[in-house]
Amino acid sequence: MPNELPGVSSHQAALDAESLHLDNDLRQPYHVPVKYLEGTRDDLPEASHSAAREIKELPPHPTLVFINPKSGGQMGTALLKLFGEVVGVVQVYQLPKQRPDKVLKKIWQNLDAAVREGDEKAWHIQNNLRVVAAGGDGTYSWLLQAISEIGIQPQPPASVIPLGTGNGMSVNLGWGHKASSQWVKSRKSMADMIKGVSTATIRDMDLWSITLTSGLPDQHQQNALQSPHPSQQNGKDDGSKRRRDIPLRDQAPFIDSELPAAMHAQNDSTMQGSHRAGKFTYYFTVGLDAEAAYRFNDVRNQKPYLAKYRWQNIGWYFYEAMATGWLWGAKPLARKIASVRVRRSQEEDWQELAIPKAVRAIVMINLQTYMGGQDLWGLHEHNTPEEDDKKLVKPIFDDGLLEIVGLKGGLHTSVALSNVSPHVHGVRLGQASEVEVRFEMQTPGKKGLTHMRLDGEPWAQPFPAKGAAEGPLRVHVKLAGRSRVLINTHNLPGVNAKALELSNREQKESKPEQGDSASSSSSDAEKAAAAVMAGHHQ
C-alpha cells in the first residue's frame, strides 16, 4: 500500500508534494526529481505534470528519508508529516512497508539509465544524495546494510534521527539521545536537523558479517518446525505459548521468525549443515543483556500500550533485566560456551580467548559507547600490563577491530552502564577483526538456550548438548567492508552535550574519508560517471 497522509488521496498528496517542492524554498535544496523516484511508490504525480513543474537548478543537498512511524512513542506519526513538509512527501518512505534496499536499488537504476543518456542532474544527485534513517539503532543499521548489500556506487552517506529506546548509534554520531519535542513543536527545528544532515562530516565505518552455523541440515529445520507446540495439542491453544517459549518447542537449530530482519538463510553447497547470515554495524551481544532486551520486546509486542513512551521502555527494560536473574542466580555464560577464538588480522594465527566465570554477557561492539552513551570499554582508563600484553589499542569505529567486552553480575553491570564512575567499565576481553564462538551446553545430554542481540534486535537461540552428533553451534564474526556515515558536531535542536562530546571524539579519531579504501571506490565511481558525462558532451 502507498504512503498516504490521513484524509488526502494518493494523487492529491503527490501533487501537493510537487507544489511544496516548488513553492517553498525550504524544500528546494533537498529536491529529488520525481522521474528518478519512479517505481518506488504508487503515489507519484504523472510524468507529464512533473516535467512541467520541474526545478531547473541543481539541488545542492538531495535527501531521502526512511522513517519507522511506530518509533518515537507518540511522535512517529507527527514526525512523518514534518519530514514531508521539510523535504517533500514523495521523498519520505515508511518502514517497513517501503524497504530501503528495494527503494534505493530502483532509484539507482533510474539514475544510472539517466546518466548513460547524458543527464547531468542525475549524475549530480547520484554523487550528492544523502539518506536519513528516522528510528532506533536497528532501523539505522538496516539502512546501512541495505546500501552495502545492493552494491550501489557511490554509496550515499546516511545519518540517523533518534526515535528508538537506546539510540546508541545516534549518540555516538552526534544526532542526539532521543526524539525531541522541539521537532514537533517547530517546523524550523526539524528543518535545522535536515540542514545539519547536509553539512555533516562523512566517515567510513567498519561493517561486520555474522554467520550462525548448525550441524543439522535445513531439512531437519523444516521438519522440526512443522511439529505442533505442546500448547496446541488436539488443535487447541491453551494460551500458554508466549514468544519467549517458542524456541523450546522443537529441535530446530534456528527459529527464523525469531531472527532479526538482517539475518537470512545462506545456501552454500561447500558447507555442511544449515546457516543464517547477516551484517551489523554497531554491536552483537550474547547472554543476559540480550535476554533482558528479548523479554522487553515480548512486553512491547504483547502489550504495546505499556510501552508508548521512552521512559516506560527504559523502566520495562531494567525490570526484565532483573527478571533474568542478573542480580542473583544467573549461571556463568562460560557454561554455555565451548570455545572463543579471535585474531586481529588474516595474517595472524587464531588465539583462544578465556571467558572469566564471572561474565554473564559478552558484547562485541564497533562504536565506542553502548545503549545511549554508556562507556563499556573505559575510554579514559589506561591499559593494565595484561591488556598491554594483548596489544589493546584505543578504539575507533574505522580501525578494523571489534572491542570484545564482558559484563559481570548485576551490581557491576549497573555501575558500568550508569557511568557512575569512569573507573568502572566492562571487562576488556580483547580486540579482533575475526571472532569464532562455539556454543554447546557443558552438561552432557542437556540442550541449551541462550539469547543474542544484533544492532538492537534480540532473539532466543537454541544450541546442542555437549557431545551431540551435530557438533556445537558456531558463530563467526568477520570484518566485511565499510559503510558511509554522517557525523554531526554542531549544536542542533534536541542534540545534547554528551552526544556532541562523543561525536567530536569520533570525528577527531577517525580517518578522513579520502584516506581509505571505501572512499577510493566512491571516488572511482564518480570518475567513471564523469567520464560518461564527458563522452556525451564531445
Side-chain angles (χ1 to χ4, degrees), residues 4 79 188 210 251 523:
E4 294 186 12
L79 290 175
K188 182 181 182 303
I210 178 170
Q251 309 301 319
S523 177

Side-chain angles (χ1 to χ4, degrees), residues 244 291 295 317-326:
R244 64 186 64 170
E291 182 177 354
R295 286 173 172 266
Y317 180 88
F318 280 104
Y319 171 81
E320 294 295 349
M322 296 303 101
T324 64
W326 209 323

Side-chain angles (χ1 to χ4, degrees), residues 47 59 135 164 254 268 302 316 362 364 401 411 434 452 470 494:
F254 305 110
D268 189 339
Q302 293 194 23
W316 274 112
I362 295 175
M364 302 181 197
L401 296 173
L411 180 59
E434 193 169 3
M452 300 179 179
E470 67 268 26

Side-chain angles (χ1 to χ4, degrees), residues 254-266:
F254 305 110
I255 310 299
D256 287 330
S257 61
E258 292 272 292
L259 295 176
M263 300 289 289
H264 53 83
Q266 183 183 56

Side-chain angles (χ1 to χ4, degrees), residues 91 98 107 228 237 328 393 411 473 493 496:
Q91 290 168 224
Q98 294 164 318
I107 290 174
D237 192 333
W328 58 86
V393 297
L411 180 59
L473 174 77
N496 60 345

Side-chain angles (χ1 to χ4, degrees), residues 350-368:
W350 287 98
Q351 301 290 329
E352 293 291 330
L353 187 66
I355 304 300
K357 291 183 178 179
V359 167
R360 301 295 189 267
I362 295 175
V363 181
M364 302 181 197
I365 190 166
N366 189 38
L367 284 166
Q368 279 50 75

Side-chain angles (χ1 to χ4, degrees), residues 214-429:
S214 167
L216 295 174
D218 267 319
Q219 182 60 42
H220 184 96
Q221 163 97 1
Q222 296 168 4
N223 293 340
L225 289 176
Q226 291 173 358
S227 62
H229 185 269
S231 65
Q232 295 178 308
Q233 298 295 332
N234 302 319
K236 296 181 180 181
D237 192 333
D238 63 10
S240 66
K241 189 177 95 171
R242 299 191 66 200
R243 180 175 179 268
R244 64 186 64 170
D245 297 327
I246 290 175
L248 302 178
R249 75 186 186 195
D250 48 45
Q251 309 301 319
F254 305 110
I255 310 299
D256 287 330
S257 61
E258 292 272 292
L259 295 176
M263 300 289 289
H264 53 83
Q266 183 183 56
N267 297 317
D268 189 339
S269 59
T270 66
M271 300 172 65
Q272 295 183 342
S274 53
H275 317 275
R276 298 296 180 269
K279 292 180 180 179
F280 68 99
T281 53
Y282 188 12
Y283 63 78
F284 169 63
T285 72
V286 179
L288 291 189
D289 173 64
E291 182 177 354
Y294 181 83
R295 286 173 172 266
F296 162 68
N297 269 13
D298 193 22
V299 172
R300 184 165 57 178
N301 291 334
Q302 293 194 23
K303 300 177 181 179
Y305 57 87
L306 294 178
K308 287 185 177 181
Y309 303 100
R310 187 171 183 269
W311 63 267
Q312 285 180 310
N313 295 344
I314 293 173
W316 274 112
Y317 180 88
F318 280 104
Y319 171 81
E320 294 295 349
M322 296 303 101
T324 64
W326 209 323
L327 281 180
W328 58 86
K331 304 298 183 184
L333 185 60
R335 293 191 179 186
K336 300 180 178 182
I337 293 178
S339 66
V340 180
R341 298 195 305 165
V342 299
R343 60 180 176 180
R344 297 174 68 91
S345 70
Q346 294 291 312
E347 291 73 32
E348 295 186 11
D349 294 331
W350 287 98
Q351 301 290 329
E352 293 291 330
L353 187 66
I355 304 300
K357 291 183 178 179
V359 167
R360 301 295 189 267
I362 295 175
V363 181
M364 302 181 197
I365 190 166
N366 189 38
L367 284 166
Q368 279 50 75
T369 63
Y370 181 56
M371 288 183 63
Q374 282 68 35
D375 180 8
L376 283 190
W377 184 256
L379 294 173
H380 304 291
E381 287 282 288
H382 296 294
N383 283 355
T384 65
E386 181 184 1
E387 290 167 345
D388 280 331
D389 290 341
K390 293 181 180 180
K391 301 179 181 179
L392 301 187
V393 297
K394 181 185 296 185
I396 188 62
F397 59 68
D398 65 350
D399 61 0
L401 296 173
L402 275 175
E403 281 63 60
I404 307 171
V405 183
L407 294 174
K408 297 191 287 189
L411 180 59
H412 167 258
T413 299
S414 298
V415 176
L417 292 183
S418 61
N419 288 158
V420 172
S421 169
H423 304 295
V424 180
H425 49 78
V427 181
R428 295 173 177 173
L429 299 176

